[in-house]
Amino acid sequence: EGKWTHSAGAMRQGDCTPCVGTGCLPDASARVTIDVINLAVTGLSPERQLNLRSAFAKDIASACNVHESSVVDLQGTKASVTVAEDGSISAFVLGLSGSSANGLAAKLYSPAFRSSLVDSASAVLDDIAMASLKVGAVSFQPEEFIALVPTTTSTVTSTSTVVTTSTATSTSAAAGPTPATGSSEKADTQPQQEPRQHGGSSGPAWWWFVIGTAVAGGAVAACMVVVQKSRPKSAEASGPGNIIV
């Protein structure tokens, strides 16, 4: 029941080898891999890439005699295929119960199927891209379909905020001086000593006494000089010729 290749791909129908075991399609699904040489999809717009994947899915569905929704890409998207950066095509064909693996492989390895792929590519690509495009090895491998989960990258950004609070305290002059603490309190509470009246050379009262004495002495001396100068004039005014009764 059915035959398929054990190698990486097949170029001719004669490359198939006998199937071993009971049933070659136990999961009613198979993986189809097609190498397309010089298929550059990175430079195509997203819309043209979508059209190209849809066209290739229709070609595979037609060759396997199934509806195009039975052809899914590696992530499970219906009526689509996965096209890698190197141009290779990968897809799964579902609902193959009752089909012959040998017959399906023969159709996929046929020149007619390869020509259909080239025609689909020519409807999307320009003449320059089609000049070097070729269909290489085709592989048909019975396999259970398990959809690949797309990997996503998430970025977590944390933001920290630092708040600095500054407190200023002002004291009004009307509130009075701030009480002193420690040993200075004892100095403030002791009664002030009266200025020294006697003895010692640094007391302020003693200096004032000396200064006052010196000023008084000078004033007396000045008065005596004035008196002495005024006496001869009085004597001359009362000379011998004048009789004073």
Side-chain angles (χ1 to χ4, degrees), residues 123-134:
V124 178
L125 304 178
D126 54 23
D127 295 338
I128 299 177
M130 289 299 302
S132 58
L133 188 143
K134 296 179 181 179

Side-chain angles (χ1 to χ4, degrees), residues 183-242:
S183 60
S184 61
E185 291 182 355
K186 297 181 179 180
D188 293 340
T189 56
Q190 292 180 358
Q192 297 182 355
Q193 296 181 357
E194 296 294 333
R196 296 177 60 183
Q197 299 295 336
H198 304 286
S201 58
S202 60
W206 185 85
W207 284 107
W208 283 112
F209 175 77
V210 173
I211 295 172
T213 304
V215 172
V220 172
C223 290
M224 291 178 64
V225 172
V226 172
V227 172
Q228 288 179 1
K229 288 183 178 181
S230 62
R231 282 181 180 179
K233 292 181 180 181
S234 300
E236 289 176 0
S238 63
N242 298 328

Side-chain angles (χ1 to χ4, degrees), residues 50-108:
L50 179 61
N51 294 336
L52 187 63
R53 292 193 299 267
S54 177
F56 287 155
K58 291 180 179 180
D59 293 336
I60 296 175
S62 178
C64 297
N65 196 25
V66 295
H67 191 269
E68 60 185 67
S69 62
S70 297
V71 179
V72 298
D73 61 12
L74 299 183
Q75 296 179 357
T77 304
K78 295 181 179 181
S80 182
V81 299
T82 299
V83 181
E85 294 183 358
D86 60 355
S88 62
I89 302 171
S90 298
F92 273 86
V93 183
L94 309 179
L96 295 177
S97 58
S99 300
S100 171
N102 184 30
L104 295 175
K107 293 180 179 179
L108 293 174

Side-chain angles (χ1 to χ4, degrees), residues 9 38 63 74 92 98 120 125 148 151 154 163 173 179 181 197 204 217 226 233:
N38 298 325
L74 299 183
F92 273 86
S120 297
L125 304 178
L148 296 179
T151 58
S154 60
V163 179
T181 57
Q197 299 295 336
V226 172
K233 292 181 180 181

